Amino acid sequence: MTQAPRKPQVAARFGAAAHRYEDHAPIQRITAERLAGDIARLRLPPRPRILEIGCGTGLLTQALARRLGPADWTVTDISPAMLATSQRGPALPGTARFEVLDGEYPQALAGPYDLICSSLAVQWFTDLNAGLGRLATLLAPGGHLAVATLADGTFDEWRAAHQAAGLVAVTPRYPAHAAIRPAMGNLAGSVHSERLIQNHPDGLTFLKGLKGIGATTPAPGRPPLSAAALRRVLAAFDEQGATVTYHLAYGMWKKTTQRPVGVFVTGTDTGIGKTLVSAILARAWNADYWKPVQTGVSEEPGDTDTVAQLARLPPERLHLPAYVLQAPLSPWAAATLEDTVVDATTIVPPTTDGPLIVEGAGGLYVPIDDTHMMIDLIARLDMPVVLAARSGLGTINHTLLSLEALKRRGIPVLGVVMSGPLSAGNKEAIERFGDVRVLAEIPPLSKVDAAAVDALAQIIPPLEDCLAALGGAPAVAD
């Protein structure tokens, strides 16, 4: 098991505070109760298999026990002392085991679990989203991941006091709640936020409270303040009112029991022919069609209508976009103009009986919202890619750059479809240097209609053969 250099320090400081933790933990108690209340509303099976990460002294453990009743509990913490304190609490209904574990690296656990939960512990992960993704791999189909963590804005008053004293706080930075998402596909869910304000008699009381719960490990690479500097900060903090704001993020995700078999169609550029390629693939593979984010509807019909006509798709095989925007711009830019909020983490593929063709907007690095590009959505949906490319001058460079970007993210590429005048040399170069198959070449068409799509669909290899070339077709069930 790999640990970041600061993890032993975090474990030691929390362990030293175990005996007095609950005397200084009102925010932790409130958060645990609220998270437990959210979890109690989930549809869990009888006697669920539960994994708790960072149990501390057992605030969330006991809150869940009161609400859920008998379960198969695996309760963990990075600190042996904290774990021992939790284990000495009231007996859990059902069966229970207690294990010392760095929850960011849970590979020693086998799973699967119906519920993986954590209250105010995962903020100590070195890479929050990657750690959440590793935890999510331990979920059973239909299982839930539920966490409460600190978000951006927490301890802003303390940072402001440092700034007033001409210093920079060593307090760790926390992510915006919208940026918290497990780095794994097949999860549906969201994150909501809450703000709690805690008033203190003075700054020294605030610091004693942090020490009382063991939350005193500085951000990586940041030495603690000298005594003189700390006195200046405390004076500024007291002058501001000795108030601290906690921004809490509650994430709730469910591992979907199915993921669609199909592909994500993206392009080396905008206007590259993705919609035509999508129609051809939908016709060839008898697939459903979905465009998660549609822009530019003020100037032309949406791509869903176009694909429906070209591929002769009945209404039941068409799925509405998650977002529709008027301006012919990137989703991020269009949403800004239209005073609309787009959140890529809320985009979840529809349930289908057969294959699904997903068409992106623009190329891989088109921004969807403030923190996500199209390539982030592709990775999250966990589907192989068909890359639409031009056939002419410059396509080798553009196509190989796109293929390299996908490779770096570990996203499999089913193949490339080239559009334009046939170029045997460009096709050969892309296949050779991109280590990818060109599935089809679409020549210039005198008329783009359903008949043309029917003819082009005949040259597309079967989907099963394409998936098998990647190492085996993905199962419909997890």
Side-chain angles (χ1 to χ4, degrees):
M1 179 178 65
T2 303
Q3 282 195 5
R6 69 197 295 255
K7 291 289 185 69
Q9 186 180 15
V10 171
R13 295 195 180 194
F14 276 108
H19 66 285
R20 61 179 185 275
Y21 180 92
E22 294 191 17
D23 294 334
H24 301 275
I27 298 296
Q28 288 73 12
R29 188 180 299 277
I30 292 171
T31 304
E33 290 291 337
R34 292 185 181 174
L35 179 61
D38 289 343
I39 291 171
R41 287 189 284 272
L42 300 175
R43 297 181 65 180
L44 295 172
R47 203 179 181 90
R49 296 159 294 179
I50 298 175
L51 168 63
E52 183 182 357
I53 300 298
C55 66
T57 57
L59 294 177
L60 177 62
T61 318
Q62 294 300 326
L64 287 176
R66 293 193 299 271
R67 290 168 170 85
L68 301 182
D72 180 0
W73 307 84
T74 300
V75 182
T76 73
D77 199 279
I78 195 172
S79 164
M82 282 285 190
L83 191 69
T85 302
S86 178
Q87 192 168 4
R88 288 194 295 268
L92 296 175
T95 59
R97 64 193 61 84
F98 293 80
E99 298 185 20
V100 175
L101 177 78
D102 179 353
E104 189 172 0
Y105 300 96
Q107 290 91 330
L109 301 176
Y113 298 97
D114 302 303
L115 170 67
I116 300 176
C117 56
S118 179
S119 182
L120 293 184
V122 298
Q123 66 267 13
W124 296 102
F125 284 9
T126 305
D127 185 331
L128 175 58
N129 289 334
L132 293 177
R134 282 188 285 269
L135 289 171
T137 64
L138 299 176
L139 287 172
H144 296 268
L145 174 63
V147 303
T149 188
L150 298 178
D152 184 44
T154 299
F155 301 143
D156 271 357
E157 298 89 347
W158 184 244
R159 292 191 177 91
H162 281 73
Q163 186 175 5
L167 300 164
V168 177
V170 301
T171 308
R173 286 284 182 180
Y174 305 110
H177 79 275
I180 299 172
R181 62 194 184 281
M184 178 190 170
N186 300 348
L187 290 178
S190 61
V191 179
H192 71 272
S193 59
E194 178 186 34
R195 185 179 65 172
L196 295 179
I197 298 175
Q198 188 175 27
N199 298 312
H200 299 278
D202 51 42
L204 192 58
T205 303
F206 165 62
L207 288 184
K208 288 180 178 178
L210 290 182
K211 185 176 181 181
I213 62 172
T216 55
T217 306
R222 302 295 306 280
L225 296 177
S226 66
L230 181 57
R231 284 194 292 270
R232 298 204 308 274
V233 172
L234 288 172
F237 185 72
D238 291 348
E239 186 175 346
Q240 294 171 5
T243 296
V244 175
T245 301
Y246 292 80
H247 289 263
L248 300 165
Y250 297 87
M252 304 285 287
W253 300 275
K254 180 180 180 180
K255 184 174 182 180
T256 55
T257 56
Q258 290 188 331
R259 68 179 175 96
V261 175
V263 298
F264 193 108
V265 177
T266 188
T268 58
D269 198 356
T270 190
I272 205 73
K274 295 188 303 296
T275 302
L276 177 58
V277 171
S278 297
I280 294 168
L281 296 180
R283 186 66 174 166
W285 295 337
N286 195 31
D288 289 21
Y289 172 83
W290 179 51
K291 177 111 175 177
V293 184
Q294 174 70 65
T295 62
V297 296
S298 64
E299 296 188 358
E300 58 186 22
D303 293 330
T304 302
D305 291 341
T306 301
V307 171
Q309 295 173 13
L310 292 177
R312 308 178 197 266
L313 297 184
E316 61 268 20
R317 286 170 52 194
L318 300 168
H319 303 276
L320 295 176
Y323 296 97
V324 177
L325 300 161
Q326 300 296 314
L329 302 169
S330 72
W332 170 75
T336 302
L337 284 179
E338 298 167 29
D339 196 26
T340 299
V341 176
V342 174
D343 183 354
T345 65
T346 66
I347 297 174
V348 179
T351 300
T352 62
D353 293 327
L356 176 66
I357 306 300
V358 182
E359 182 186 348
L364 295 174
Y365 287 96
V366 167
I368 299 176
D369 56 26
D370 286 339
T371 56
H372 301 93
M373 304 287 187
M374 193 59 60
I375 194 170
D376 298 310
L377 177 61
I378 297 172
R380 186 170 179 273
L381 295 182
D382 193 25
M383 299 177 72
V385 160
V386 169
L387 182 66
R390 292 188 178 91
S391 63
L393 187 66
T395 192
I396 297 174
N397 183 62
H398 294 160
T399 304
L400 294 182
L401 284 173
S402 296
L403 292 172
E404 178 66 20
L406 292 164
K407 180 180 178 181
R408 286 174 178 265
R409 293 293 296 269
I411 298 170
V413 178
L414 207 68
V416 174
V417 176
M418 302 174 67
S419 297
L422 301 183
S423 173
N426 287 346
K427 175 179 180 290
E428 180 184 3
I430 288 170
E431 289 190 322
R432 177 176 179 180
F433 297 106
D435 190 24
V436 70
R437 179 184 184 184
V438 172
L439 299 177
E441 295 176 275
I442 303 174
L445 302 173
S446 59
K447 187 176 183 180
V448 180
D449 58 11
V453 168
D454 282 346
L456 290 165
Q458 301 302 312
I459 66 174
I460 300 296
L463 176 59
E464 294 77 10
D465 293 352
C466 297
L467 292 171
L470 289 178
V476 174
D478 283 336

